Amino acid sequence: MASQKHQTLVDAIKEDHQEMYEYYDQYVKATGNADAQERWSRQLTWEIARHVTVKEQLNQLESLNSGSKQHGDLLNSIMQHLHEHNDNEEKKDLPLLEPTLGKDGSLAAAANFARTKQFVPTRAHPSAPNQPPFETLAGFMTAPLDKLKDAFAKFPTEEMKANAK
């Protein structure tokens, strides 16, 4: 993982995308271990909740049992969609953005990106508005409740994360 101080916005976003892929791979590798699948599924859900493109599917996913065929199939569908979305973003959008920002602007934007991730909802809210300024207001209102739920949810342990690398 690159130091956030010296990471450009493009690198920060690509790293964010890569984390999602790694968490999904760990979910798949944990097939047959319901506890591990639940933990990796929650970690993955937590990471992708801020991607508007899959809010409704993510809401469905949270109602299914980790490790079930339905859960795995839906998670696979979400990941396929995210791969397409992320690849398009990385290949088309971000290369245009980086030169416009410049090195210093990109470093500052990457720091803001990392900070912003701490304040966004970590669960799907498909009925929440998705246009500013109401999206921002709804996010600030739901994020604390999501964080409270997360405090009681199962996530991969630090040991599980270390073994995944």
Side-chain angles (χ1 to χ4, degrees), residues 2-156:
S3 168
Q4 288 182 356
K5 257 195 226 176
H6 298 82
Q7 191 176 40
T8 66
L9 180 60
V10 170
D11 290 339
I13 291 172
K14 285 182 178 180
E15 183 178 286
D16 193 58
H17 293 167
Q18 189 58 43
E19 283 178 348
M20 286 187 280
Y21 305 147
E22 289 172 13
Y23 297 150
Y24 177 70
D25 289 346
Q26 291 306 311
Y27 172 86
V28 172
K29 287 179 185 175
T31 298
N33 182 338
D35 182 65
Q37 280 196 304
E38 181 180 353
R39 291 172 187 275
W40 287 112
S41 178
R42 170 57 39 215
Q43 183 69 48
L44 179 58
T45 301
W46 190 81
E47 282 294 325
I48 63 178
R50 51 187 188 275
H51 289 265
V52 172
T53 59
V54 295
K55 273 187 181 180
E56 291 199 19
Q57 286 181 310
L58 201 55
N59 195 45
Q60 288 177 311
L61 185 70
E62 289 180 350
S63 70
L64 299 172
N65 290 325
S66 297
S68 71
K69 180 166 176 18
Q70 291 170 312
H71 186 274
D73 289 348
L74 183 55
L75 193 55
N76 184 48
S77 173
I78 290 170
M79 291 307 297
Q80 286 177 356
H81 178 80
L82 282 173
H83 267 287
E84 290 173 20
H85 170 81
N86 293 349
D87 289 349
N88 186 53
E89 192 174 81
E90 289 178 17
K91 291 176 183 163
K92 293 182 181 176
D93 300 336
L94 295 176
L96 298 173
L97 182 60
E98 193 78 15
T100 303
L101 291 174
K103 182 73 171 176
D104 290 340
S106 182
L107 293 172
N112 285 336
F113 175 71
R115 223 178 357 265
T116 300
K117 286 173 48 174
Q118 297 173 11
F119 297 101
V120 297
T122 59
R123 294 171 183 262
H125 299 281
S127 60
N130 63 359
Q131 297 293 319
F134 302 109
E135 175 187 39
T136 304
L137 180 60
F140 278 126
M141 290 174 22
T142 58
L145 296 174
D146 289 354
K147 303 281 186 194
L148 183 60
K149 288 179 183 177
D150 291 344
F152 296 97
K154 289 183 176 182
F155 283 88

